[in-house]
């Protein structure tokens, strides 16, 4: 069995790492194709270094651009590589433009596709990610659903039950494989001048939030109100898209501790000891749930409803009063919930399914 792992952004590197590690452990024939969707050191290389991943065999260096241009360039580049390498299966993870182009390129060449994190739905078609995940799911041959809910969604959409595999989410593998290392390594608390449990952490980068002045201003004001009410530092590592928009909209961030995007071990350590996390990130909603840290989601919907059901997460939208109310409500709760995303062996399960099928 020969597998191609296609990735291109920060969360894909983190969540594909357990799959790549499993391929290495089994001496499985595989290669990594990086589209170059993310390319800044702190959005890309730092994760390869920290997670001790081999350099990608191919890097298309596509970079940033309008959705059509970015996706189209990836499609052209991926097709060339796949024609040359002819893998048995292409693995894509999540819902980015990299995933869409990887899935389409493979489908057109008749190469089997494995979609990792299949069956997530926000039912909000204004999100580019929703389009990407629906399209990727419907042209995939192996749909690796993280939970019972996501598996049922796929079956209800008419996808053949035999193609769907409930395997958990590789985010649990990543957290378990790296949290211990994170806790022993970094002196992050000293560096940031905070104490464990005595600070909050925020991230926001979603296009429908940060590219919209009213919504992003609401988020920033909401974060400032939360910081003011709780009276402890609020650390906000700013994604490059958000940085550009903060400057363009000239938003006042007084009271917030703005920092550059963090490496994974530092971020994981900070996340695990935060009093509260506020975010619009998909991966961060999952990680806080796994780590037992309360989360406020700065969105109107989520494709991770399991976090709402178990009570680790609350949807707050982008209006400041609602953000404050949600922060107070969730932080008053005891962090006692069960992680719905699996046991940390998802990477192993995915590779086993593929080996059983192809060998
Ligand atoms: C992408 C994904 C999103 C995912 C996020 C993870 C799509 C449609 N979006 O959003 O689902 O949650 O990655 O972080 O695929 N930039 C840099 N350096 C980089 C990368 C980007 O400076 O390494 C800046 C550029 O100005 C660029 C902007 O960030 O225009 C947005 O990058 P892009 O990859 O288009 O989308 P993300 O917002 O990162
Ligand atoms: N993350 C990180 N440094 C940061 C912010 C996030 O390492 O400064 C990690 C985080 O632990 C999670 C992933 O990046 O694993 C989430 O990525 P992002 O929020 O960019 O994308 P999404 O999950 O929303 O697609």
């Amino acid at each position: 069995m020969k597998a191609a792992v296609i990735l291109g952004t920060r969360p894909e590197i983190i969540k594909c790492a357990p799959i790549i590690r499993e391929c290495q452990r089994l001496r499985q024939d595989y290669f990594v194709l990086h589209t170059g969707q993310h390319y800044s050191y702190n959005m890309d290389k730092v994760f390869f270094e920290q997670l001790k991943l081999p350099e990608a065999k191919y890097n298309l260096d596509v970079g940033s651009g309008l959705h059509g241009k970015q996706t189209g360039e990836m499609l052209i580049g991926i097709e060339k590589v796949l024609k040359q390498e002819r893998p048995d299966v292409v693995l894509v993870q999540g819902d980015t433009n990299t995933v869409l182009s990887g899935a389409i390129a493979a489908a057109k060449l008749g190469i089997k596709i494995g979609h990792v994190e299949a069956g997530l739905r926000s039912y909000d078609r204004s999100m580019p990610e929703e389009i990407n995940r629906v399209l990727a799911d419907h042209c995939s041959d192996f749909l690796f659903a993280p939970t019972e809910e996501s598996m049922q969604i796929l079956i209800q959409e008419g996808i053949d039950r035999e193609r769907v595999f409930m395997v958990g989410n590789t985010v649990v593998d990543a957290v378990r494989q790296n949290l211990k290392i994170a806790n022993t390594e970094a002196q992050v608390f000293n560096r940031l001048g905070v104490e464990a449990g005595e600070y909050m952490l925020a991230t926001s980068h979603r296009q429908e939030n940060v590219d919209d002045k009213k919504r992003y201003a609401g988020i920033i004001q909401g974060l400032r109100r939360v910081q003011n009410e709780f009276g402890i530092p609020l650390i906000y590592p700013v994604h490059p898209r958000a940085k550009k928009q903060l400057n363009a909209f000239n938003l006042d961030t007084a009271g917030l501790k703005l920092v550059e995007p963090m490496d994974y071990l530092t971020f994981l350590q900070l996340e695990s000891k935060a009093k509260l996390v506020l975010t619009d990130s998909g991966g961060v909603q999952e990680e806080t749930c796994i780590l037992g840290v309360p989360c406020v989601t700065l969105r109107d919907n989520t494709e991770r409803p399991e976090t709402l059901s178990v009570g680790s997460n609350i949807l707050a939208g982008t209006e400041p009063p609602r953000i404050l109310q949600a922060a107070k409500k969730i932080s008053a709760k005891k962090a006692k919930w069960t992680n719905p995303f699996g046991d940390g062996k998802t990477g192993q399960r995915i590779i086993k399914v593929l080996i059983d099928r192809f060998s």
Side-chain angles (χ1 to χ4, degrees):
M1 192 269 288
K2 176 170 171 179
V5 179
I6 299 186
L7 47 74
T9 67
R10 169 169 75 183
E12 293 165 78
I13 302 166
I14 293 169
K15 287 177 169 177
C16 286
I19 295 173
I20 296 171
R21 281 189 180 159
E22 181 63 2
C23 287
Q24 288 178 314
R25 191 180 73 85
L26 297 176
R27 296 177 196 282
Q28 184 57 54
D29 189 9
Y30 82 101
F31 68 93
V32 175
L33 187 163
H34 193 322
T35 59
Q37 180 171 349
H38 283 178
Y39 46 85
S40 301
Y41 175 77
N42 59 12
M43 296 298 290
D44 173 22
K45 264 221 159 47
V46 68
F47 300 103
F48 277 85
E49 288 171 7
Q50 264 192 343
L51 297 168
K52 300 190 170 46
L53 298 174
E55 204 180 326
K57 183 167 180 187
Y58 301 93
N59 193 321
L60 305 178
D61 286 323
V62 164
S64 309
L66 291 172
H67 283 269
K69 178 173 178 288
Q70 189 185 51
T71 309
E73 283 176 12
M74 288 180 198
L75 185 50
I76 294 168
I78 294 170
E79 184 178 59
K80 258 190 212 140
V81 173
L82 294 183
K83 272 190 82 167
Q84 190 185 316
E85 290 273 359
R86 292 298 322 179
D88 295 304
V89 62
V90 160
L91 284 171
V92 288
Q93 191 287 330
D95 52 24
T96 64
N97 289 345
T98 292
V99 170
L100 178 63
S101 48
I104 296 176
K108 296 278 182 188
L109 291 170
I111 296 172
K112 301 281 183 225
I113 305 160
H115 186 203
V116 180
E117 212 175 73
L120 276 65
R121 296 289 180 270
S122 66
Y123 299 106
D124 176 357
R125 290 279 171 108
S126 70
M127 293 177 71
E129 291 85 0
E130 182 74 356
I131 310 285
N132 293 346
R133 48 175 97 94
V134 171
L135 295 176
D137 279 344
H138 283 264
C139 65
S140 287
D141 303 277
F142 300 88
L143 293 103
F144 295 112
T147 63
E148 175 72 31
E149 283 91 327
S150 41
M151 183 173 79
Q152 289 307 330
I153 286 174
L154 294 168
I155 293 168
Q156 277 158 25
E157 287 183 10
I159 288 170
D160 184 355
R161 173 73 189 78
E162 304 229 310
R163 295 178 178 214
V164 184
F165 302 85
M166 198 189 107
V167 292
N169 195 312
T170 56
V171 72
V172 184
D173 309 28
V175 167
R176 300 240 170 113
Q177 287 169 13
N178 297 295
L179 188 60
K180 262 202 205 119
I181 313 170
N183 286 339
T184 52
E185 267 198 9
Q187 292 298 315
V188 57
F189 302 115
N190 289 346
R191 202 159 16 97
L192 288 161
V194 295
E195 282 175 41
E198 293 299 316
Y199 61 88
M200 294 171 287
L201 183 63
T203 78
S204 175
H205 73 281
R206 225 146 266 299
Q207 177 179 302
E208 68 275 13
N209 278 344
V210 303
D211 286 12
D212 179 316
K213 186 170 183 183
K214 187 164 178 282
R215 290 180 71 85
Y216 198 19
I219 289 178
I220 295 294
Q221 266 183 40
L223 295 179
R224 290 179 64 196
R225 280 208 203 168
V226 172
Q227 193 282 321
N228 197 36
E229 174 81 17
F230 284 64
I232 55 176
L234 197 161
I235 302 160
Y236 174 13
V238 186
H239 186 285
R241 176 190 285 277
K243 188 174 185 177
K244 206 164 61 178
Q245 297 307 103
L246 262 186
N247 293 334
F249 298 148
N250 199 18
L251 301 177
D252 185 358
T253 58
L256 306 179
K257 211 172 169 60
L258 266 51
V259 294
E260 290 295 312
M262 288 173 167
D263 63 84
Y264 183 51
L265 297 182
T266 300
F267 188 81
L268 203 53
Q269 195 182 20
L270 266 191
E271 205 179 2
S272 69
K273 302 272 166 43
K275 183 177 176 62
L276 174 67
V277 173
L278 303 104
T279 192
D280 60 14
S281 157
V284 174
Q285 289 174 64
E286 294 159 352
E287 286 170 351
T288 47
C289 183
I290 296 159
L291 293 166
V293 175
C295 178
V296 170
T297 291
L298 307 163
R299 289 176 47 189
D300 304 313
N301 51 54
T302 179
E303 56 293 313
R304 273 92 176 168
E306 299 86 352
T307 59
L308 304 177
S309 328
V310 301
S312 69
N313 187 16
I314 190 165
L315 283 179
T318 58
E319 297 282 336
R322 272 193 64 205
I323 295 174
L324 179 59
Q325 193 189 25
K328 282 190 193 162
K329 189 168 169 193
I330 195 114
S331 58
K333 266 181 65 167
K334 274 245 171 325
K336 267 196 171 170
W337 52 77
T338 316
N339 152 38
F341 295 113
D343 59 2
K345 294 189 176 143
T346 299
Q348 289 176 29
R349 274 190 206 104
I350 290 170
I351 296 302
K352 182 164 187 323
V353 166
L354 299 177
I355 290 176
D356 287 352
R357 188 62 61 93
F358 288 103
S359 303

